[in-house]
Amino acid sequence: MRFKLKGLTVAALTLTLGLTTAACGDSDSGGGENDKNITIGVVSGWAEGEAATALWQRLLTDKGYKVDVKTLDTGPLYAGMSKGDVDLFLDSWLPGTHEDYWKQYGDKLEKVGSWYDSAPLTIAVPNYSPLQSLEDLKGKGGQYDGKIVGIEKSSGLYRVSQEEMLPAYGLKDEFKVTTSSTAAMLTELDKAISAKKDIVVTLWRPHWAYAKYPIRDLKDPKGAMGKPDTIYTVGRKDFGKDQPEVAGWLKKFKMDDKQLGSLEDLMENKYKGKPEQAVDEWLKTNQSYATSLTS
């Protein structure tokens, strides 16, 4: 999400992409129309992107493509696409959340298609919480140890929560948005709910946590979390020209809450760490939908 690349990150990116190229063997990920090698970037812990990526890895593999999935932080992923080292990213939040990355790299990327139309950034609490609105946090920093549990610092969700929401509600002196990882935030949420303790977390929709946990969003009367984004599939420059067949399929790609939620649930809960098995089971009840995408 929004994040200025520091020297360390650039070095890490160089190393990561160097290893990626070496591992792929064929560094020409941006080959011509006959190239059946496609590299998809994914951000760990972003459930909707992991689900969409696992699905398309299967669909493309079934069509004879060799799909290489690379896990990268958001900044390095966009930078990698801009250099042609990554072909696709299925979890680009625009126009708001990834605005800074689009300003930095957008002229070297292309929007292939949009697949989820209304994706808001949220601040969530357990259903038993007395809080109803972000305005209710005022004066309660002590009760919550002065923290709203966040995710990766490189995320636009962190930037919006820390730099826009807190000042808008006069909370900057009482609260800070902590940073760790999406997985760590969800672990804290799980522990708090199990113990019936109060907790406030940064979250977003679509996310499987809304189906698994008794949680709800705090109202945002000032609109400080921004308007809902659209989730896009974004490609490196000329991806559509080099891979017209795949681009055509991706343009048709749309998921509703039921389709996405059921796939996320299988991936995150029943088959954690085994995305192929999750997709296997999901396709048993969604095969006609999946077939329609690549026909």
Side-chain angles (χ1 to χ4, degrees):
M1 296 182 181
R2 304 186 183 195
F3 166 64
K4 301 297 183 191
L5 288 174
K6 299 281 197 288
L8 179 60
T9 307
V10 172
L13 167 63
T14 304
L15 175 61
T16 303
L17 294 178
L19 292 173
T20 299
T21 303
C24 288
D26 176 12
S27 62
D28 185 16
S29 61
E33 288 184 26
N34 296 322
D35 184 9
K36 303 285 272 190
N37 296 296
I38 293 178
T39 300
I40 303 177
V42 67
V43 179
S44 178
W46 294 6
E48 74 288 343
E50 290 177 327
T53 299
L55 175 60
W56 277 98
Q57 183 177 24
R58 163 61 62 80
L59 297 179
L60 293 174
T61 299
D62 286 350
K63 288 290 185 177
Y65 288 83
K66 181 178 181 293
V67 182
D68 194 18
V69 174
K70 293 295 175 188
T71 301
L72 295 164
D73 283 340
T74 324
L77 203 166
Y78 274 96
M81 274 196 298
S82 75
K83 294 178 180 179
D85 293 312
V86 176
D87 293 307
L88 287 172
F89 178 40
L90 285 102
D91 203 12
S92 183
W93 286 48
L94 296 168
T97 308
H98 292 178
E99 177 187 16
D100 285 359
Y101 290 128
W102 197 256
K103 284 179 180 176
Q104 189 171 0
Y105 301 114
D107 60 342
K108 297 176 181 175
L109 307 174
E110 62 180 58
K111 292 178 182 175
V112 179
S114 63
W115 61 272
Y116 192 90
D117 293 332
S118 184
L121 302 179
T122 61
I123 303 294
V125 296
N127 286 344
Y128 54 77
S129 170
L131 302 173
Q132 298 296 324
S133 164
L134 289 168
E135 292 177 316
D136 297 339
L137 286 167
K138 187 75 172 172
K140 299 193 176 70
Q143 291 178 231
Y144 294 88
D145 295 325
K147 72 176 184 179
I148 294 169
V149 183
I151 59 169
E152 294 81 2
K153 192 169 186 178
S154 62
S155 66
L157 176 55
Y158 167 75
R159 191 201 64 76
V160 170
S161 304
Q162 176 69 29
E163 298 179 15
E164 296 183 21
M165 184 276 288
L166 292 185
Y169 289 95
L171 301 172
K172 199 116 188 184
D173 292 335
E174 285 188 76
F175 286 89
K176 72 171 184 175
V177 178
T178 63
T179 58
S180 55
S181 68
T182 300
M185 177 275 291
L186 291 166
T187 297
E188 285 201 46
L189 178 64
D190 185 273
K191 287 180 180 177
I193 289 174
S194 296
K196 284 286 193 292
K197 289 185 177 179
D198 286 328
I199 189 171
V200 183
V201 301
T202 65
L203 204 52
W204 63 93
R205 293 177 183 266
H207 200 287
W208 59 267
Y210 286 99
K212 181 172 183 179
Y213 299 113
I215 56 175
R216 57 182 164 77
D217 299 333
L218 291 180
K219 294 182 178 68
D220 179 16
K222 296 181 185 292
M225 296 299 289
K227 293 179 180 179
D229 275 325
T230 296
I231 303 179
Y232 287 87
T233 297
V234 169
R236 59 168 173 78
K237 194 172 184 179
D238 292 332
F239 177 81
K241 187 173 78 173
D242 294 339
Q243 299 283 4
E245 183 177 51
V246 176
W249 294 336
L250 286 164
K251 285 183 195 304
K252 295 192 289 181
F253 176 46
K254 298 278 184 186
M255 289 191 100
D256 61 28
D257 284 337
K258 184 178 179 183
Q259 291 166 329
L260 180 58
S262 58
L263 179 54
E264 283 187 0
D265 183 55
L266 288 168
M267 287 186 60
E268 297 295 330
N269 299 309
K270 188 171 182 179
Y271 297 109
K272 183 73 174 176
K274 300 174 182 176
E276 299 87 355
Q277 292 184 30
V279 173
D280 277 344
E281 180 160 332
W282 189 82
L283 286 173
K284 290 175 184 175
T285 52
N286 294 274
Q287 188 60 60
S288 60
Y289 159 77
T291 302
S292 73
L293 293 174
T294 57
S295 59

